[in-house]
Amino acid sequence: MEVITMELIKADVTVIGGGIAGLCAAIAAARQGLQVSLINDRPVLGGNASSEVRVHINGSAYLGKSPSYYAREGGLVEELKLKIFHYNPLYNKKLMLSLSDTVLLDMVYAEPNIALYLNTCVHETGMENGRIAWVEGLQLASERKFRFESRTYIDCSGDGVVGFQAGAHFRWGREAKHEYNETLAPEVADHYTMGDTILFQARDVEYAVPFKRPGFAYDITKLPFFDSIRKGLNHRAFPRKINGLGGLWWLEYGGHMDIITNNEDIALELRKLVYGIWDYIKNSGEFDDVDNLILDYVCPIPGKRESRRFIGNHMLSQNDLIDKPHFEDAVSVGGWYMDLHAAKGIYDDGPATAWNFVPGLYNIPFRSLFSQNIPNLMFAGRNISATHVAFGSTRVMATCGCMGQAVGTAASLCLKYEVDPADIAHAHMEELQALLLRDGQTIVGLKEELDPYFADGLSVSASSQRNYENLNPTEAIPLDQGVCLVLPIQTSVGDSVQISIKNSSEHTETLHVKLLGGDRKENYIPTSLLKEYNVAIAAGHDGWITLDLGCVKPADDKIYIVLEGTESLAVYGNEEKITGAVSFLYRPEEPSKLKKLGKSICFKDVLPAQNMYNPENVVNGYSRPYGLPNGWISERTEGREWLELSLASPKSLDEIHLVFNSQLDLEHFDDPIEPLMQDYDVTLTFEDGTEKGISIRGNYQTLNKHRVDAQHVTRIRIDFCATYGSPYHEVFAVKLFAPSNDMRGQVKS
C-alpha cells in the first residue's frame, strides 16, 4: 500500500485562507520581499467574493453612503477592486464572476514570491514552546500532504482554523453589555452568532421554462415566516424585478447553532429554503414576468458571516467605532455600519438586521490583529479581536482586505528585526505605518511627510489651476426640502459666498440659512450650529445673491450651508462634480446622516479667496480629501495639462508614485470612472540636460508606481493626455522616494 509522503514547504510567512483578507496579506508580504505560502481550502480565491459564494466586496464606503464621503479604502483592496472592474465591468451585476476569480488568481500568479496551494485543507497545527512550529495540509485531489514551516503565521481562514488548533484564545457569540460598556450588546452574554446565507442567480432565457420543486425543498407557504416575507416586513422583501436577482441576503439561518459543527445541516436547510423560495416565485402567480426565468446558479456553499473571534492585545468595541479614540498603532480603516443580523435568520420574529450608525471612517489598531497568547500568530478578516457588536462593522470584505495588507506588511518587519508582532506594536509602528501609507493604505489622520532630501527647495507648478467655484446653473432645485452645500475653506475665517436663487412666486419669499460646523476632518457630519438667519428673496428674483458666512473655520475645515425655503424657492445646481465641495439633502431630524443630493449646488466668489487646488497640494502628504480636498485640479480643458516638480539641486530618485482621483465616494462602479487619469507621460530631466521618459496608456489604477533608478535629476514633468471622461485633470499626490531611503519620510498626524 502506497503511503502519502509529507512534503516540507518552508517560507518566511504562511497565510491560511485565500479570501480577500488572505489574498491581501499574501500579496503585501510578497511585495515586501518575503517568500509566502498561501493555503486555500477551495479551488478558487476570493472567499465570499468568489464565484462560488458571490458576495460583493463592500467596505468603509458603505455602498456610497458613508458620512465620511471620500471613504473607499485605498491600498491593495483599491487595486483589486479597480482591476476587477477593468476586466469585468459586469461584476456589480453578479455576472461573469468566474472572470473575477481569474483576476484574483492573476494577482497572485504575478507575484513570484507566492507559492499558492489551492484545495488544501489545514488539518493539524504543531506547537513548540508555545509557538506555532508548523501546519499540515492535505490536498485531496492530488493526494499530496504538506507541512508548512515559517517564522510567522497569518490566519485568514474565517473560522480561524489554525488559531483554534494552536490554542489561541477566542470569543464566540455576543458579549454582555457590561463587558465593554456597549449599548448595542445584550444584557446577558450568549452563544448567538450571525447566520449563513446561500445566494442564487436568476436569468431570463427568453422562452417559458417551468419549475418543479424538488422533493427535499420546502413549501414555504407552510413555514412560520411566510406572511412576513409575503408582506415585505422586517427587511425581508422581494425585489420588484426578479430577472438578474443575485440572491436574498436575508435568506439566512444558523446563528443560534454551532455555526461550524453544524455547517452541513445549516447548508441543507438553506438549500431547502432557496428552492422553496424559487418555487414560490415561479409558481405562486404573485410575480410578473417570471415565466422565462430560470434558477441559473445556486451557490454550492453558504456564505458564512461569523464564528470564532480571536483575542488580541486590544478588543475593538462599539465605543472605538463611535468615539474614535486615537490609536498609536492604527493600521487600517473601517466604516460599514454595525450591521447586526438576527441570530435565527429567516426564522427570527424580529428584523433581519439592525443597521446601527457608524459616524464615518474609524481606525483599526494593530493590537487587534495578533494573538494575545500565541506570539507568532496574526490574523485578518472576520476572526480579528473585536466584540460581536464591533464585528458587525469590521466583517465586510474590503475592510478585511485592509487588515490583511496590514498584517502582511507587518510580517516583513517581523522577519527584518527577527521579532514577533507584539514587538512591532511596541517598537516599530512608525515604520509599519510608513510602509502602509507608501502602498496606498488609508489610516485616518496620518500623512506622509515628503523626505527633506526632496522637500528643501522643491517647487511645484502646473499648466493651469481650477478656480474654487461651480458656475453654469442648469437645474433649479426646490427648497421645500432643505439642501446643504459643504464648502471646505483654507483660511481661518469664511466671510461670504454667492449662490444662485430663483423665486418663482409673485411675492417675497424667505430663505432660511443655517451655518453649521463639524469636528472631524474625515467626515461630512455637521455637529454644531454656527449661526442662522433669514434672507428675503424678492418676487421673480432669478440670479446670484451673496450669503454672509462670517464665521471662524470649524475644526473639520468645512462650512455647511443649509438652505431651507418653500416650494417657490429654488437654488440652482448642475451635474458638475467639484472635489471637496459637495451637496446633500438636509434632514434636520438626522443632521449627522446627510444624503447625497445627486446634483451640485452652484457657487462662486468665496471670500476670502481660496487657493484650493494649488499644484503644491500634491506634495502635502495627503493622498485623498481630509478636511480639505488635498489635490491639484486643472482648468476645464480638452487639451494636455501638466505638473512640474523642480528640484533645488540634482537628486537621486528611486521611485515616483502618482495618486489619481478614482471617485472615492463610490463603493462600486457601473460607469467609467471619469476623473481617473488614463494616459500620461513622465519626463525626467537630468543635470546635463538629457531626458528620460515613461509613457503610460490605459491606466485604470488610483496608485501608480514608477521605478526609475535615476541619478542627478533636476526636474520631473508629468504630461496628462486623457481621463476617462472628465474635462479636468486631477492629481491627489506625487510621492518621491530616494534610493536606500529606509523610510526616512516621517509619518505625522
Side-chain angles (χ1 to χ4, degrees), residues 691-709:
E691 294 183 339
K692 174 183 177 181
I694 303 169
S695 183
I696 302 299
R697 297 295 180 268
N699 167 60
Y700 56 87
Q701 288 291 345
T702 304
L703 172 61
N704 284 251
K705 298 181 177 182
H706 302 294
R707 189 167 190 89
V708 295
D709 295 321

Side-chain angles (χ1 to χ4, degrees), residues 266-342:
I266 293 167
L268 176 58
E269 182 72 10
L270 287 167
R271 291 187 191 103
K272 292 178 179 180
L273 291 167
V274 165
Y275 288 101
I277 289 276
W278 187 249
D279 173 53
Y280 171 61
I281 290 172
K282 283 284 287 186
N283 299 322
S284 67
E286 297 186 20
F287 296 86
D288 297 328
D289 302 321
V290 297
D291 289 348
N292 294 356
L293 299 187
I294 63 168
L295 194 57
D296 192 42
Y297 183 85
V298 177
C299 296
I301 57 175
K304 191 174 289 185
R305 289 183 175 85
E306 181 183 9
S307 55
R308 302 182 184 103
R309 290 171 284 107
F310 292 119
I311 299 175
N313 283 3
H314 180 82
M315 184 70 80
L316 200 69
S317 72
Q318 173 189 342
N319 298 314
D320 293 329
L321 277 54
I322 300 298
D323 300 335
K324 305 188 196 182
H326 176 69
F327 292 127
E328 291 288 344
D329 61 333
V331 289
S332 67
V333 295
W336 189 262
Y337 275 27
M338 288 174 286
D339 177 13
L340 302 175
H341 287 230

Side-chain angles (χ1 to χ4, degrees), residues 11-13 131 149-153 376 414-415 418-420:
D12 298 316
V13 61
R131 303 171 62 85
E149 294 182 358
S150 62
R151 175 183 188 84
T152 306
Y153 295 83
N376 61 338
C414 291
L415 181 66
E418 297 185 350
V419 296
D420 292 325

Side-chain angles (χ1 to χ4, degrees), residues 458-513:
L458 176 70
S459 64
V460 186
S461 57
S463 51
S464 66
Q465 179 181 326
R466 182 174 186 173
N467 292 326
Y468 191 46
E469 61 188 10
N470 183 19
L471 304 176
N472 307 315
T474 60
E475 183 172 343
I477 303 165
L479 293 178
D480 51 334
Q481 180 178 0
V483 299
C484 179
L485 168 64
V486 186
L487 288 181
I489 60 169
Q490 300 165 304
T491 51
S492 59
V493 296
D495 290 338
S496 63
V497 65
Q498 291 193 35
I499 60 171
S500 188
I501 290 284
K502 178 180 182 179
N503 180 1
S504 57
S505 75
E506 297 179 356
H507 51 81
T508 298
E509 295 283 358
T510 299
L511 172 67
H512 185 61
V513 180

